[in-house]
Amino acid sequence: AFGTAQIQSLPSQGRWLGEAETERSQQICDNLSVSLRLTAPLGGEPFRRQKGAPMRFIYCLCYAAGLGVVSFVLGRLVPKEWFDYTRFPYRSFAFEKGGKIYEAIGIAKWQSRVPDMSRIFPKLMPAKKIPARPDEQTLLVMIRETCAAEATHALLILAGLGLLAIWPGAGGILLYLIYAIFGNLVFLIIQRYNRPRLVRLYERMCAKRSKEA
């Protein structure tokens, strides 16, 4: 190390430096070493200066917004025929009791108050409200849309874990919980509450048509 090495005369351009000049050169090297340690981590040393919470919050918002745009575009492009409401995970589980379990959290009262993309982009997404006289095809489209929406929000919950990488610590955890619960889980529950009712109505209409045939 510079600090413990014995000061010796050093050769320079064909002549030997005296001890005073050698000591001055060593001091310059020591100062340079200190400067390097202040500007870059050495030996795995972490950076002392980190981005502040406001900037991390902005980065998280941009990340979440980007996820929303990508998921919306993919949700419109993916064929809805890929979604089979009779298979896992879209089929209602026994404990859900045909969606009735969600009535315990008052979903019938507040589901109409949450943002609805079909009202924001009516030309891009089919309406979520059942028409007065729905036909079988309309109901089937609505059922598949609930499956697509559920899959989208489930994937967004997983992708939202990236917020924890952008903002490690309590701030990122809190932001992720808000994003996962209020931005996605709520909408996922709405799909699982409404789909069994749509399926029952759809299957009754199919059974009625079969009897009349």
Side-chain angles (χ1 to χ4, degrees):
F2 287 116
T4 58
Q6 184 177 359
I7 299 175
Q8 299 177 352
S9 298
L10 300 175
S12 175
Q13 297 181 352
R15 68 184 183 86
W16 285 85
L17 296 176
E19 290 187 1
E21 292 177 287
T22 302
E23 184 176 1
R24 190 178 305 110
S25 298
Q26 179 178 338
Q27 184 62 41
I28 293 174
C29 292
D30 290 342
N31 293 339
L32 178 60
S33 175
V34 172
S35 299
L36 290 174
R37 289 182 62 83
L38 291 176
T39 56
L42 298 179
E45 178 184 351
F47 282 103
R48 298 293 182 181
R49 300 176 62 183
Q50 297 181 351
K51 297 182 179 66
M55 287 304 301
R56 291 182 182 274
F57 178 74
I58 293 174
Y59 292 158
C60 287
L61 290 183
C62 293
Y63 178 75
L67 288 179
V69 172
V70 172
S71 65
F72 178 79
V73 174
L74 291 179
R76 295 301 90 209
L77 295 178
V78 172
K80 302 306 179 289
E81 292 77 12
W82 290 4
F83 300 94
D84 187 349
Y85 70 91
T86 65
R87 296 180 179 274
F88 176 87
Y90 309 112
R91 184 180 65 251
S92 184
F93 298 107
F95 74 87
E96 291 178 296
K97 300 178 181 178
K100 292 185 179 297
I101 190 174
Y102 301 114
E103 294 178 358
I105 58 176
I107 188 172
K109 297 179 180 179
W110 53 260
Q111 69 166 334
S112 61
R113 300 177 184 177
V114 301
D116 185 352
M117 296 299 290
S118 65
R119 292 197 297 263
I120 300 175
F121 301 102
K123 295 183 179 180
L124 298 178
M125 302 183 67
K128 301 292 179 63
K129 187 177 181 180
I130 302 177
R133 294 183 177 180
D135 55 32
E136 295 176 23
Q137 185 59 32
T138 299
L139 290 174
L140 183 58
V141 169
M142 294 180 70
I143 291 170
R144 287 173 173 169
E145 283 288 341
T146 65
C147 295
E150 179 179 336
T152 299
H153 287 292
L155 291 175
L156 285 175
I157 290 176
L158 295 177
L161 292 171
L163 296 172
L164 301 180
I166 299 173
W167 191 356
I173 293 174
L174 178 60
L175 191 60
Y176 171 72
L177 291 177
I178 294 174
Y179 174 79
I181 296 174
F182 297 102
N184 293 286
L185 184 60
V186 166
F187 296 93
L188 191 152
I189 290 175
I190 290 175
Q191 312 311 318
R192 298 200 66 84
Y193 171 70
N194 289 322
R195 186 163 55 249
R197 298 187 300 161
L198 293 172
V199 169
R200 288 194 295 268
L201 180 57
Y202 172 72
E203 291 180 346
R204 282 201 301 266
M205 294 184 69
C206 290
K208 181 179 180 181
R209 178 174 53 83
S210 300
K211 291 179 180 180
E212 294 175 350

